[in-house]
Each structure stands twice: as structure tokens, then as C-alpha cells.
Amino acid sequence: MKLVILDRDGTINEDSADFVKSPSEWEPLPGALEAIARLNHAGWHVVVATNQSGLGRGLFDVASLNAMHAKMHTMLAAVGGRVDAIFYCPHAPDEGCRCRKPEPGLFEQIGERYGIALQGVPAVGDAQRDMVSAVTAGCEPHLVLTGKAAAYRDRSLPEGYPAETVVHQDLAAFVEYLVMQDVRPSQAADL
């Protein structure tokens, strides 16, 4: 199974220091939805793993979260894309759960749901905690320089990022990289 795990806020949609709390605040990053559609068309299954501590903080409820995700699904469908599943941590940072990134719990849930080992599965995010949780779960870490990581454009990553982190300008650049990696082995077989 060709599986990609994506973070949500700052990777697929605009992030906000005040949290994305409603469908009206959920706005896709330029080219992100089309990038997901391109993954789908290349045979990849896409799932989302996202911290949603706004739930635990009481900033929005599950109905609002579901409405945000319904908007994302509708907008993705309009460009020929889809997300197969969304895994989220609803806890506030002080709750000490195992599912809040940088802990690997969301990734473990994905592996269990799909019945696969996550070794080498590409995981994409815009924050150090995304990379740490991905590596802890055995995934291949890919950082996009959008959202929280936009500050690192034209700069080195600070300490704390896993050494194997691959950096991309945005989700579309990651998809281009992944699709080209996917194409190369079949081209070699044709030679």
C-alpha cells in the first residue's frame, strides 16, 4: 500500500496562532489541494495526522472540527483529490496523552488501522514535533517550509530536527519529489 501521512494546519491549510476554529477560518494553502489530488492520481493513499488541542482547550467542539474537515473534503473533491482518513489528537498539551505529536500515538493508530508497519512511510509536516513523531514511528520525515517552518526558508534547521529530515518548499514540491521517486524504479525496469 502506498501511504502518505500529512499534518493539517500549516501543511494543507493556513495555520493560525489563534487556532483554526471554524470552517470559515479553514483556508487551503496555495496548491496544497491540487498536490493531494496529484498524490491520489499517482496511486497514493493520503491520511491526516493532526494535533487539535483547540478541542481540549474548549476553543471549538467536535461538530466544528467535523465541519472544517467536511469543507476540506468538498474542496479536495472539486480538484479530484481525497483524504482517506483523519486521525486527530483532541487533548490539551498538559493532558500527557500519547497521541499528541511529538508522541507517536497518532502514527501508531494509523499503522493499526491499516494493518501495516510504518517503516519508510513518508510523513509530511511543518513543525519539529511532526518530524520527531514521524521518526519515532519509523516514518520518513519530510518538512515543508510553510506554516511554522516558513521561518526556515533560506536558513538551516535548528537543533532538534531529526538528521534524516528532507526539506521541501511546500506540499506541491514534496509531491513532485515523491512522484519522481516513484517513477524512477519503473523507468529503470524499462531500460
Side-chain angles (χ1 to χ4, degrees):
M1 171 184 223
K2 291 170 34 173
L3 180 68
V4 175
I5 301 170
L6 302 179
D7 174 53
R8 195 191 84 172
D9 299 336
T11 301
I12 299 172
N13 59 281
E14 298 284 349
D15 201 357
S16 170
D18 295 326
F19 299 87
V20 179
K21 302 177 290 300
S22 69
S24 64
E25 294 177 8
W26 193 95
E27 289 298 326
L29 287 166
L33 301 180
E34 294 80 2
I36 293 170
R38 185 172 180 206
L39 279 173
N40 298 148
H41 293 224
W44 291 86
H45 293 269
V46 178
V47 299
V48 171
T50 178
N51 287 348
Q52 291 297 317
S53 69
L55 285 169
R57 297 170 198 254
L59 300 176
F60 55 87
D61 58 18
V62 173
S64 296
L65 182 64
N66 289 340
M68 287 183 253
H69 292 157
K71 178 179 181 179
M72 179 180 71
H73 288 302
T74 299
M75 293 179 78
L76 272 168
V79 297
R82 72 184 179 288
V83 166
D84 294 350
I86 300 169
F87 294 78
Y88 65 90
C89 170
H91 304 108
D94 60 356
E95 291 186 59
C97 66
R98 184 161 171 79
C99 57
R100 181 174 169 75
K101 295 183 280 184
E103 296 296 323
L106 289 177
F107 291 88
E108 292 166 351
Q109 291 174 30
I110 292 166
E112 289 169 16
R113 169 89 59 89
Y114 286 91
I116 61 170
L118 296 180
Q119 198 65 37
V121 169
V124 184
D126 71 314
Q128 181 180 343
R129 66 178 170 232
D130 298 322
M131 302 300 98
V132 170
S133 57
V135 168
T136 302
C139 294
E140 191 179 279
H142 293 269
L143 181 72
V144 288
L145 299 178
T146 52
K148 291 173 183 58
Y152 304 124
R153 287 184 184 262
D154 304 318
R155 291 181 30 205
S156 298
L157 296 180
E159 283 188 40
Y161 277 86
E164 59 269 27
T165 301
V166 182
V167 179
H168 309 275
Q169 289 299 307
D170 55 20
L171 190 55
F174 160 76
V175 170
E176 176 67 20
Y177 167 88
L178 187 62
V179 168
M180 293 312 296
Q181 297 297 315
D182 205 27
V183 167
R184 284 189 186 116
S186 65
Q187 287 177 340
D190 292 340
L191 298 177

